[in-house]
Amino acid sequence: MQMAKFAYTIKYSFMQPVKTATILDTRRIKKDGTFPVKLRITFDRKQQYYPTPYNLNANEFEKVMFGKRLTFLEKQQKERIAAFENKAIEVIEDLPVFTWKAFEKRYLLNRGAKDTINQAFADYAAELREVGRIGTAVSYECAQKSLNNFCTGARFADVTPEFLMNYEKWMLKNDNSITTVGIYLRSLRTLFNNAIDEGLLTKEFYPFGKKKYEIPTSNNIKKALSLNDISLIYHYEAEPATSEAMAKDLWIFMYLCNGINVKDVCLLKYKNITGEKISFVRAKTARTKRKVEPIEIMMTPDIESIINRYGSKDKSPDNYIFPILQKGITPERERQLIQQITQVVNHHLKNIATDLGITSNVTTYAARHSFATILQRSGASTSYISEALGHSSVITTQNYLKGFEDETKRETNKALTAFKN
């Protein structure tokens, strides 16, 4: 290890010295060839190491910490690194008697308040990419870019309810939808929750919640297709063996299979078919819940026909049913292929809807929402629909079921003046 010589302090506690030092921890090298810069506290022959957010190689550490002709940026970096040791010195000097517990309670309190949110976004997005959650990582990176455009270098301590309200107004002024605003701010809220869970912040720094800042929610009505519109799509005669025919059939497959989403369609394997059932776990649920209940779909002639028409001829258990993905591809490539098939289906369904005179927005998502809404109108209970969709909360299902089409509303309202008849 290398130790900085520029600063250290000694405090006597029962005649035992307490020493501080800023060191370059060379025990573990990072992928980019740098090492963590750490604070080392020594007391009663015991040493404890505390992290800083900085990583340097040996030459950089020597230059920044001991060099004489430093650039402005190097001086700034030296001051920021020294701040960690200076804080430790202040804490030690204020303690009547040094104990590790008393020191850490004061030193570690809100140590993340001055950390930049940009770095927290970058670190969390990197973690998501490492576990293959590429789509979520991209969402956090978009939120990171948005916040940087609003306030470069924002720290956790800077984010107050007033800051968030101004950020919301700025996003809306720059043509972001309420939905986008909610996504970005929920991402930021997650970073605060993570920092609190890790002991980097106390709850007094938490700017979200009642009487503070509440994240806006979208009131957009999600319209399901009517049974008549679904019938028109089902009976639509696309030219056989074309992309249009495949798009139509995949949409019908998603609708009939409990509103399964595109990613889960792509991930289906022949081992998911057992007897007369298709059983699978949603990719989204599998990574967020310890105990997951598989969704079970009863095989119907229509579902079986679509599988026979487009499914892989090799029905080995580990083969994908639909040959969209390939074994061994990277998470990035998987996401790219799923996005491509989604775009193909949505493009052709839009054209089909136009030909049929359907005014509703026919997308892969509409298949899921339509499945839920049609079941509700048939008399199925919300709890049954929730189970069929694989939702962890009935409240989520209720949000799916809000989008009655205008015609249904008009028919319902006629009952209010039925006495006219």
Side-chain angles (χ1 to χ4, degrees), residues 10 100 109 176 204 209 218 244 288 389:
I10 298 177
W100 289 109
L109 181 65
N176 291 120
E204 67 186 90
S218 173
E244 183 182 64
T288 57
L389 291 170

Side-chain angles (χ1 to χ4, degrees), residues 32-246:
D32 60 359
T34 62
F35 302 95
V37 177
K38 293 185 178 181
L39 169 70
R40 185 177 69 195
I41 304 295
T42 305
F43 171 65
D44 195 20
R45 298 183 181 180
K46 179 181 178 182
Q47 293 181 333
Q48 290 280 79
Y49 297 89
Y50 301 91
T52 75
Y54 301 100
N55 300 296
L56 300 171
N57 61 41
N59 291 333
E60 290 170 339
F61 183 78
E62 187 72 22
K63 175 76 185 309
V64 170
M65 305 309 292
F66 311 125
K68 293 182 179 180
R69 296 181 179 179
L70 302 181
T71 65
F72 172 77
L73 292 178
E74 288 170 340
K75 289 179 181 178
Q76 192 177 53
Q77 188 173 39
K78 181 176 181 177
E79 290 173 359
R80 289 175 177 174
I81 293 174
F84 290 86
E85 184 169 1
N86 292 337
K87 179 181 178 180
I89 293 171
E90 291 175 6
V91 171
I92 292 169
E93 289 179 344
D94 287 342
L95 290 175
V97 177
F98 181 90
T99 65
W100 289 109
K101 184 176 181 180
F103 170 74
E104 290 185 347
K105 183 177 181 180
R106 296 194 187 186
Y107 176 73
L108 299 179
L109 181 65
N110 292 322
R111 64 191 187 279
K114 293 184 179 180
D115 290 348
T116 63
I117 298 174
N118 181 62
Q119 188 61 48
F121 264 122
D123 291 343
Y124 193 59
E127 290 177 17
L128 292 169
R129 285 185 176 277
E130 283 183 11
V131 296
R133 296 175 60 183
I134 307 302
T136 308
V138 170
S139 177
Y140 273 83
E141 288 161 354
C142 290
Q144 175 186 11
K145 182 178 180 180
S146 171
L147 184 62
N148 281 339
N149 288 337
F150 171 68
C151 181
T152 304
R155 305 170 303 167
F156 280 99
D158 298 327
V159 181
T160 62
E162 183 180 7
F163 177 99
L164 293 172
M165 185 58 70
N166 290 332
Y167 180 34
E168 176 191 325
K169 291 177 180 177
W170 178 84
M171 283 192 281
L172 293 174
K173 185 178 178 180
N174 284 275
D175 297 327
N176 291 120
S177 67
I178 285 291
T179 300
T180 300
V181 171
I183 291 171
Y184 289 172
L185 289 171
R186 282 192 293 274
S187 297
L188 181 57
R189 184 176 63 187
T190 296
L191 297 184
F192 269 88
N193 289 332
N194 290 345
I196 290 172
D197 290 342
E198 294 169 8
L200 299 173
L201 293 173
T202 57
K203 290 185 178 180
E204 67 186 90
F205 277 88
Y206 195 65
F208 299 94
K210 291 184 178 180
K211 297 183 180 179
K212 292 186 178 181
Y213 174 81
E214 296 188 47
I215 298 174
T217 56
S218 173
N219 292 321
N220 292 335
I221 297 177
K222 303 168 183 175
K223 289 188 177 182
L225 302 185
S226 68
L227 199 57
N228 181 63
D229 287 343
I230 296 169
S231 174
L232 290 173
I233 295 172
Y234 179 87
H235 290 102
Y236 180 80
E237 294 185 5
E239 186 178 344
T242 62
S243 296
E244 183 182 64
M246 179 200 68

Side-chain angles (χ1 to χ4, degrees), residues 211-326:
K211 297 183 180 179
K212 292 186 178 181
Y213 174 81
E214 296 188 47
I215 298 174
T217 56
S218 173
N219 292 321
N220 292 335
I221 297 177
K222 303 168 183 175
K223 289 188 177 182
L225 302 185
S226 68
L227 199 57
N228 181 63
D229 287 343
I230 296 169
S231 174
L232 290 173
I233 295 172
Y234 179 87
H235 290 102
Y236 180 80
E237 294 185 5
E239 186 178 344
T242 62
S243 296
E244 183 182 64
M246 179 200 68
K248 170 212 158 182
D249 286 342
L250 281 180
W251 192 92
I252 293 296
F253 181 87
M254 288 185 277
Y255 169 69
L256 295 177
C257 290
N258 294 29
I260 187 173
N261 64 33
V262 178
K263 182 173 184 178
D264 289 326
V265 169
C266 294
L267 292 174
L268 284 177
K269 295 183 177 181
Y270 278 103
K271 64 183 178 183
N272 293 116
I273 301 176
T274 53
E276 296 181 349
K277 291 182 181 178
I278 298 176
S279 179
F280 73 99
V281 174
R282 295 181 70 199
K284 180 179 180 180
T285 307
R287 67 170 180 264
T288 57
K289 294 174 64 178
R290 286 179 176 268
K291 184 179 180 181
V292 293
E293 294 294 333
I295 296 173
E296 292 189 341
I297 302 163
M298 297 304 298
M299 186 75 75
T300 66
D302 284 315
I303 293 173
E304 188 172 7
S305 175
I306 292 171
I307 291 175
N308 290 335
R309 192 150 53 243
Y310 301 101
S312 301
K313 302 308 177 186
D314 183 351
K315 298 184 179 181
S316 301
D318 282 326
N319 272 3
Y320 292 113
I321 293 178
F322 299 105
I324 299 168
L325 305 179
Q326 299 90 38

